[in-house]
Amino acid sequence: MTTSNFKVFGIPMQRRSTRRRLVVLTYLGLVMVCGFTLWIAHSQPSVYSWALYAAFVVVSFIFGGYGRYGLVKSFRNKPPRPEPPIVDVIRLHLQPEALFAADTSWKNDERELSRRDLAHYQAYQPLTLVPMVLLLLSSWALRPPHWVSAAILLQAIFAVSMFGTVLVVTLPSALILWTEPDMETP
């Protein structure tokens, strides 16, 4: 299920209940960042990206799935980037068997690949409503009904697109963390 890192902020994540608490607390934090972004964006439009940066930090360093770090192994199933040449010089001083040991821990097995595909399928099915809501709000913004102003519709479009983007980035990894059973302690 995960990389070799089973701790987040020093807290072991082997138990499903602990991972679920992490997911809930992380989403509460993301909702607060999104709310703050919505609130401050009126005076400083450049802060719209704060929620996106927060989502990328969460998925890169806590949840995982899209990089080398985090609890979920990378979804990409590609070997890590080659190390810089200075590392090759350091390796010359290692034992010969250490030089040629093939590390394939980055590679996903069939179970991990099917889990990844299922998580993306489950995450993106309900998120297909986001473009439909955006289209509806946009059509109303072109000719605002008498009961709502164009400014409120634009704010709603901004809020829906921001929350939807945060969910698109984080939800597959969060679903994996939420559904995986307890792991044995190493």
Side-chain angles (χ1 to χ4, degrees):
M1 168 195 137
T2 60
T3 62
S4 59
N5 182 12
F6 295 117
K7 292 185 178 185
V8 174
F9 304 119
I11 301 170
M13 292 289 144
Q14 282 89 359
R15 298 189 48 83
R16 177 191 285 181
S17 60
T18 308
R19 290 191 307 271
R20 285 183 173 182
R21 276 189 223 116
L22 173 73
V23 168
V24 168
L25 289 174
T26 303
Y27 274 114
L28 285 175
L30 286 172
V31 165
M32 288 179 7
V33 169
C34 287
F36 181 72
T37 301
L38 285 170
W39 178 63
I40 199 91
H42 297 288
S43 60
Q44 302 211 348
S46 63
V47 301
Y48 76 92
S49 58
W50 287 1
L52 302 179
Y53 291 145
F56 283 118
V57 165
V58 163
V59 83
S60 296
F61 297 107
I62 298 173
F63 286 177
Y66 295 101
R68 286 191 272 181
Y69 308 106
L71 293 170
V72 177
K73 188 188 277 188
S74 178
F75 294 141
R76 289 182 285 189
N77 208 27
K78 292 182 180 178
R81 291 184 197 153
E83 297 172 345
I86 189 74
V87 175
D88 291 334
V89 172
I90 295 170
R91 282 189 176 178
L92 293 176
H93 298 291
L94 297 175
Q95 300 296 329
E97 58 271 3
L99 283 173
F100 301 107
D103 179 24
T104 58
S105 62
W106 55 268
K107 194 169 178 98
N108 290 310
D109 60 18
E110 288 182 28
R111 178 190 168 283
E112 291 166 333
L113 290 173
S114 66
R115 184 199 64 209
R116 173 199 65 185
D117 294 343
L118 179 64
H120 281 82
Y121 179 76
Q122 289 173 336
Y124 295 149
Q125 261 196 330
L127 288 177
T128 57
L129 293 175
V130 171
M132 292 180 216
V133 171
L134 287 174
L135 185 61
L136 175 69
L137 290 172
S138 299
S139 69
W140 285 350
L142 292 174
R143 292 198 70 156
H146 68 281
W147 50 272
V148 65
S149 70
I152 291 176
L153 287 171
L154 290 174
Q155 291 171 1
I157 290 169
F158 179 64
V160 169
S161 60
M162 182 175 47
F163 283 111
T165 304
V166 167
L167 286 175
V168 163
V169 171
T170 61
L171 200 54
S173 299
L175 284 173
I176 290 172
L177 291 174
W178 189 269
T179 58
E180 283 293 305
D182 289 347
M183 301 179 321
E184 294 180 20
T185 55

